[in-house]
Amino acid sequence: MSDQIYDAVVVGGGPAGATAATELALEGHSVLLMERGGRIKPCGGAVPPRLLEDFNVPQSLLVARARSARMIAPSGRAVDMPVGETGYVGMVDREDFDEWLRVRAVESGAERLAATFEKIERDDEAHPLVTFRRERGGPIEKVRTRMIVGADGARSAVAKQALPNAERIKCVFAYHEIIASPEEFGDAFDGDRCDVFYQGKLSPDFYAWVFPHGDTASVGVGSANKGFSLRGAVAEMRSDLDLTRCETIRREGAPIPLKPLKRWDNGADVIVAGDAAGIVAPASGEGIYYAMVGGRYSAQAASEALKSGETKALKLARKHFMKEHGRVFWILGMMQYFWYSSDNRRERFVDMCDDKDVQQLTWQAYMHKKLVRKKPLAHFKIFLKDTAHLLGMGPENSEARS
């Protein structure tokens, strides 16, 4: 490439990287968005309405709007959680959604390069070099930049090279199959409903899912147990739900982090975002919205550092994110640690989801991405019920209540 020095090179073109590139370009910085292409992250594709509002994303990118969720316990008991008359869970196809975000970054002023990141090199010059290959086995090329934004996923090569202990990030391994939706919907599949399976046979420590995508659907599972067969669990689920007859369009797998890194920057010229920063919500595995928020915060911090020359500004990204979402992540982490640990607890967790107060506050928190504080009595009722379940005094199933 030329001898141009970019203000920022963003490594990774997913929601975090594309958002960071857009924000930096809009701030007037010269930006190179480097993404390798040809890969789609395994993802249920769920996005809250707030994402569309916060990031000016058009409704046309939604391939479906789920109006309810169904929680399925180990016993097979199903609890439906309707979102409400005005709410929905937006569903996107990551192949089209991510590409739209990358195109927007270019339209905002970023340059785009299809290449694979190799490493960061430093020499006698003031700013680092980003090395890359345009194709597998091709020659290594270099570009110099004042700032590097690592948005290259859970096993981020940028983070491993620049941040301490980044390689130790705890992950859940996710695998899903995109299938053609069945022509006729039955009780086992509904194009307006997200199904979540809390069953040890499908995942010993996380959950499995069937999410509608309009003409297609995502059938997947996650687990941190390396000896557990994710493909086998998906095959079993498809067989049980009579989805083996549906065409398999593509298969994808990848690690998903469930705990934010303690540091997002190297104090000088590298900052990370999205999965590379570990910001996927525990328990739910929700990552698209948080990736875009993290990408925006990292871009804002990088821009401030570039403009002021004060590299301490890089710390603002993690500080702002954790102030806004850290408490929710902590609560979800505790929830996953306790409720996903055995089928007995999963059964009680699904039973608790049948409570109307739990449903209302859950959906409000999901759609607005805030802990709801307007109904203290409802919170107190949930606290009492949750305590009863923790102590094993809650009803095991619907029959126990009758």
Side-chain angles (χ1 to χ4, degrees):
M1 296 189 73
S2 68
D3 294 331
Q4 176 184 0
I5 299 178
Y6 287 92
D7 289 331
V9 170
V10 180
V11 181
T19 300
T22 297
E23 297 286 334
L24 284 163
L26 291 175
E27 284 296 314
H29 300 290
S30 57
V31 181
L32 178 66
L33 175 59
M34 184 182 297
E35 47 93 15
R36 61 184 182 181
R39 178 185 176 277
I40 308 167
K41 180 184 174 183
C43 175
V47 297
R50 182 176 170 182
L51 180 146
L52 279 66
E53 300 169 5
D54 288 359
F55 295 95
N56 196 26
V57 173
Q59 292 272 343
S60 60
L61 281 175
L62 299 182
V63 293
R65 292 173 179 80
R67 301 292 180 178
S68 69
R70 172 170 288 185
M71 310 300 191
I72 300 96
S75 66
R77 182 191 178 217
V79 170
D80 287 340
M81 299 177 63
V83 180
E85 294 183 3
T86 60
Y88 64 88
V89 178
M91 309 303 298
V92 298
D93 188 302
R94 287 293 298 272
E95 182 175 18
D96 298 327
F97 181 75
D98 289 15
E99 178 62 15
W100 185 89
L101 293 175
R102 290 189 286 265
V103 169
R104 181 166 70 174
V106 173
E107 292 174 346
S108 299
E111 293 182 40
R112 181 176 175 181
L113 173 67
T116 300
F117 169 82
E118 288 287 324
K119 63 180 179 178
I120 301 169
E121 287 186 357
R122 299 184 185 275
D123 54 19
D124 294 336
E125 300 295 324
H127 305 301
L129 290 160
V130 173
T131 69
F132 60 91
R133 298 179 192 266
R134 294 178 189 262
E135 58 185 33
R136 190 182 183 92
I140 289 182
E141 300 181 58
K142 304 178 181 182
V143 62
R144 197 173 295 277
T145 182
R146 298 172 62 198
M147 187 70 61
I148 301 166
V149 180
D152 50 335
R155 300 299 191 200
S156 167
V158 173
K160 287 180 183 178
Q161 185 173 346
L163 304 178
N165 300 317
E167 70 280 359
R168 298 180 184 178
I169 189 169
K170 183 179 179 181
C171 291
V172 160
F173 296 88
Y175 169 78
H176 80 160
E177 296 177 0
I178 296 294
I179 66 171
S181 296
E183 294 181 3
E184 296 182 3
F185 296 168
D187 189 59
F189 179 85
D190 188 327
D192 292 324
R193 187 186 70 217
C194 295
D195 290 353
V196 186
F197 296 80
Y198 296 99
Q199 300 177 338
K201 68 175 185 176
L202 296 179
S203 174
D205 53 357
F206 203 58
Y207 64 82
W209 68 85
V210 177
F211 286 178
H213 286 184
D215 293 337
T216 64
S218 166
V219 183
V221 64
S223 175
N225 187 334
K226 293 183 179 180
F228 185 75
S229 174
L230 302 178
R231 286 177 177 262
V234 170
E236 180 177 357
M237 183 164 49
R238 287 184 65 176
S239 177
D240 291 345
L241 299 174
D242 193 26
L243 296 176
T244 54
R245 58 192 170 94
C246 300
E247 177 191 0
T248 301
I249 298 172
R250 65 178 190 260
R251 298 177 173 89
E252 298 149 356
I256 298 176
L258 293 180
K259 188 174 183 179
L261 290 178
K262 292 184 178 180
R263 285 191 62 178
W264 291 9
D265 69 275
N266 70 342
D269 49 23
V270 177
I271 189 168
V272 294
D275 282 13
I279 47 175
V280 177
S284 70
E286 182 189 357
I288 300 176
Y289 174 76
Y290 294 115
M292 294 178 72
V293 171
R296 172 172 284 174
Y297 280 147
S298 291
Q300 290 172 347
S303 179
E304 176 63 26
L306 288 168
K307 291 177 178 179
S308 68
E310 296 289 338
T311 56
K312 63 182 180 181
L314 295 175
K315 297 186 183 300
L316 294 175
R318 190 182 190 280
K319 179 180 179 181
H320 289 162
F321 183 91
M322 296 305 292
K323 181 179 180 180
E324 185 174 0
H325 301 290
R327 187 180 177 198
V328 170
F329 272 47
W330 182 83
I331 291 172
L332 291 175
M334 294 299 293
M335 186 178 108
Q336 178 180 334
Y337 175 80
F338 182 83
W339 291 115
Y340 295 5
S341 61
S342 71
D343 271 354
N344 179 270
R345 290 181 178 179
R346 293 184 190 99
E347 194 76 38
R348 286 190 277 148
F349 172 71
V350 172
D351 185 78
M352 192 168 60
C353 291
D354 202 18
D355 184 272
K356 300 305 179 186
D357 288 327
V358 171
Q359 293 181 13
Q360 183 181 29
L361 294 181
T362 295
W363 285 126
Q364 287 180 356
Y366 171 79
M367 289 189 292
H368 303 295
K369 287 292 169 279
K370 293 180 180 179
L371 292 175
V372 183
R373 297 184 175 88
K374 293 182 178 179
K375 295 189 175 183
L377 181 58
H379 280 286
F380 182 65
K381 287 169 63 180
I382 291 173
F383 171 76
L384 293 178
K385 295 170 184 175
D386 197 40
T387 301
H389 280 285
L390 286 170
L391 296 175
M393 297 185 294
E396 294 295 322
N397 50 45
S398 57
E399 288 76 18
R401 291 195 303 272
S402 58

